[in-house]
Amino acid sequence: MADLLTVKDLTKQYQEFTLGPLSFNVPAGYILGMIGPNGAGKTTTLRLLLDMAAPTAGTVTLNGDTTPAARALARAEVGVALDTTGFPESWRVADVDSAMALFLPNWDAARFHELIDLFGVAKKTAYKKLSRGTQAKVNLAAALSHDAKLVILDEPAAGLDPIARDQLMTLLQAYIEDGQHSVILSSHITGDLARIADYLLYIVGGHQLFFGETATLLDRYVLVKGGRGKLTPELKKLGLGLRETAVGFSLMMRAEAARNLPAGLTIEPVDLDALMIYYGKEVQADAQ
Amino acid sequence: MRNSVKVAQLDLRTLQIKFPWWALLLATDAVILVLAMLNFDVFAIIVGIVFGAGSSVVMVPFYSNQQRGVDGLLAALPVTRRQVVLGHYLFAVGVQCVIALNLFVVAAIYSFMRPEDLPLSVAAMVALGALTFFLVLVAVPFPFLMRVGYSSATIGIYTGVIVLVVIGLNFLSALGDNFSPSFTFGWVVAGAVALLVGSVPLSLHWYSKREL
Amino acid sequence: MQVVLSNQAGVPIYQQIEDQVKTQILNGDCPAGMQLPSIRELAKDLKISVITTTRAYRDLEAQGFVTNMQGKGTFVAPQDNELIHEHALRAIENGLQMAIDAARLGGVETADLHTMLDTLLEGENDG
């Protein structure tokens, strides 16, 4: 199956911040999770994919289209829910429905209302009167209701309670089930992503730290823990991001480096949260 | 360009408050005409309302989403930047033509009812004058709206234009003693149209460079 | 086919799937020719990524437990006894190696280890 999205050396230069070069791709039928601290450039990346900003260098191929003009018209095949793609304040669900139907040839009103009902959105309430979480649900429902080949979501789970989040994850998995549709979502809810994201794009400070299968990233590192006394300088050198307390230490390091460690240490696989936290400590330490 | 028409339609839909805009318009017309029938001299008020409405209505799409306007929404839809700009112009000029036309119809009826207060020729000129005012109010601020969106800068320009036009009109009516009023007026209208047409390429250019 | 995942197990998810499917195939719960849920259906039901289930099925196919027929689905392969035997041997080796490592760590003598094995086997025969 061809890739729905191919990004090569995408770069965006701002005065105080450089994003990229980023290179990644999204094959049809999979979920790509974008992770990274706030301000790392995840939203900017998504905006570049949608031609909301022009890149300084690099190429984006979306559904086979390589130019902004072609991509503009191909956006009928892209479902989007970003912070800035919200609807006018006075609109109700019916207004969203008719507006989307106007622009999107594959708009499925029945599906939209199904999702609105599933999310429990009040149909007669004006958009601005809805809570942020509910507004997000409306945006989401719209993004998922026109059979878009690629769905792009920026922190969709941010305002959602656990029940709604679960609904969302189930929806996304059902969405890609036929192998023809893909989803890109950026999220801080790393637990969800670690389970259902097939690929991960990890961005820190504008740099692409990793792109590949989720399992590859998680298998790359381990967490080494032990009592204070066991923390030798050699050990410290092998690790990335150290956490020391009165009762012990924990250190993240590459799995290969952890093969020949002395006895008495606990070695465990790292979860996505831990990985990002320890990596963050490392970056902080470097900066100091 | 069908997509530009769709953008204009979208802009129109941002005007929905509690009642559709056309219903409000007809209701206001009815009230005004009733007042006129009862011999109240309301023409000045009418003109005031129309100028106010025509000016502010055009801005609504640009602050309708927490001051962000419909830019973000349109960015996610299958329309090009060019189609967005043309759609906005279509909406603005279209709505203002409707408002000016409505003013003319109301004024004509008023004139018919009280010809001593308002000769038909004056009614026509006021309607045309309103349209001209509106066109300038689109022509000058729109490029800035396209460039930076709805911000204090664009509001500033907007207000500035209104003030300038009011001053200019006073100046012209003073001048009008020297020239035939329709001659001056003709040039003013032509100028406004030229300004509007000239603002389009600038808007297109600035919007194409804008980061949303 | 039933699969129950545990977050606490410390065993990677793809491994849990493989182990459970293998067990069911070997003890006959999943007879030869039975169709397994599709990779994507399984991913959805278990709420895990498609790549994970793909990997599990691929490993199972490589080890001869299932066959993947393009366009049709994944089916339990006829089990050849030699394969089952080999699998059992490998499992025994792993188990025994773990016991030996534990004994070393705990300072248990080899002779005691043999005794423990005999005792356990006797216990099984009685029970």
Side-chain angles (χ1 to χ4, degrees), chain A residues 38-246:
Chain A
N38 285 332
K42 304 192 297 293
T43 305
T44 308
T45 305
L46 296 179
R47 284 172 51 231
L48 286 172
L49 297 182
L50 294 167
D51 293 308
M52 290 168 100
T56 317
T59 59
V60 173
T61 309
L62 184 61
N63 273 329
D65 295 308
T66 48
T67 61
R71 282 196 289 269
L73 300 173
R75 276 201 288 274
E77 299 281 336
V78 180
V80 182
L82 307 186
D83 212 21
T84 51
T85 59
F87 298 100
E89 300 176 337
S90 59
W91 282 13
R92 304 193 176 99
V93 167
D95 298 314
V96 173
D97 187 1
S98 57
M100 295 292 105
L102 180 63
F103 284 91
L104 300 165
N106 293 334
W107 180 251
D108 186 349
R111 179 74 182 136
F112 179 60
H113 284 284
E114 220 181 286
L115 291 174
I116 290 289
D117 289 335
L118 176 68
F119 287 140
V121 176
K123 293 199 187 186
K124 296 286 180 201
T125 314
Y127 192 75
K128 84 159 158 210
K129 294 258 169 70
L130 300 171
S131 69
R132 273 212 70 191
T134 313
Q135 288 181 344
K137 290 178 185 178
V138 175
N139 296 355
L140 210 50
L144 295 171
S145 297
H146 61 277
D147 202 31
K149 287 257 160 20
L150 181 63
V151 170
I152 297 180
L153 307 173
D154 194 5
E155 313 238 3
L160 303 185
D161 61 63
I163 297 176
R165 251 177 41 219
D166 185 55
Q167 286 173 327
L168 172 62
M169 293 299 140
T170 308
L171 271 173
L172 295 182
Q173 288 199 288
Y175 200 78
I176 66 162
E177 200 181 349
D178 71 356
Q180 314 281 331
H181 301 78
S182 292
V183 174
I184 300 179
L185 76 155
S186 75
S187 182
H188 283 303
I189 321 271
T190 45
D192 292 340
L193 285 188
R195 280 181 77 94
I196 74 161
D198 298 291
Y199 297 93
L200 283 181
L201 176 63
Y202 183 18
I203 302 179
V204 173
H207 298 295
Q208 176 173 323
L209 288 187
F210 175 83
F211 167 67
E213 292 183 16
T214 310
T216 310
L217 179 63
L218 292 176
D219 289 345
R220 196 180 270 190
Y221 298 98
V222 292
L223 214 50
V224 175
K225 301 181 182 175
R228 286 294 296 271
K230 302 256 189 238
L231 182 60
T232 62
E234 299 85 54
L235 200 60
K236 262 203 220 176
K237 261 211 295 209
L238 285 175
L240 281 146
L242 171 66
R243 186 166 176 264
E244 276 183 275
T245 67

Side-chain angles (χ1 to χ4, degrees), chain B residues 114-161:
Chain B
R114 306 176 58 158
E116 70 285 359
D117 277 346
L118 188 68
L120 193 61
S121 55
V122 173
M125 263 183 49
V126 171
L128 201 56
L131 185 61
T132 311
F133 172 64
F134 294 154
L135 292 182
V136 174
L137 212 52
V138 169
V140 178
F142 252 39
F144 294 94
L145 262 181
M146 297 298 115
R147 185 179 181 147
V148 296
Y150 185 81
S151 66
S152 39
T154 37
I155 312 274
I157 292 176
Y158 203 67
T159 321
V161 169

Side-chain angles (χ1 to χ4, degrees), chain A residues 28-30 166 170 173-174 176-179 195-199 213 219, chain C residues 5 7 10 13 38 40-41 43-44 46-52 54-55:
Chain A
Y30 293 94
D166 185 55
T170 308
Q173 288 199 288
I176 66 162
E177 200 181 349
D178 71 356
R195 280 181 77 94
I196 74 161
D198 298 291
Y199 297 93
E213 292 183 16
D219 289 345
Chain C
L5 296 179
N7 281 328
I13 291 184
S38 77
R40 289 178 172 275
E41 214 182 304
K44 201 180 74 170
L46 294 176
K47 289 190 193 284
I48 56 181
S49 74
V50 169
I51 280 188
T52 306
T54 308
R55 178 174 179 177

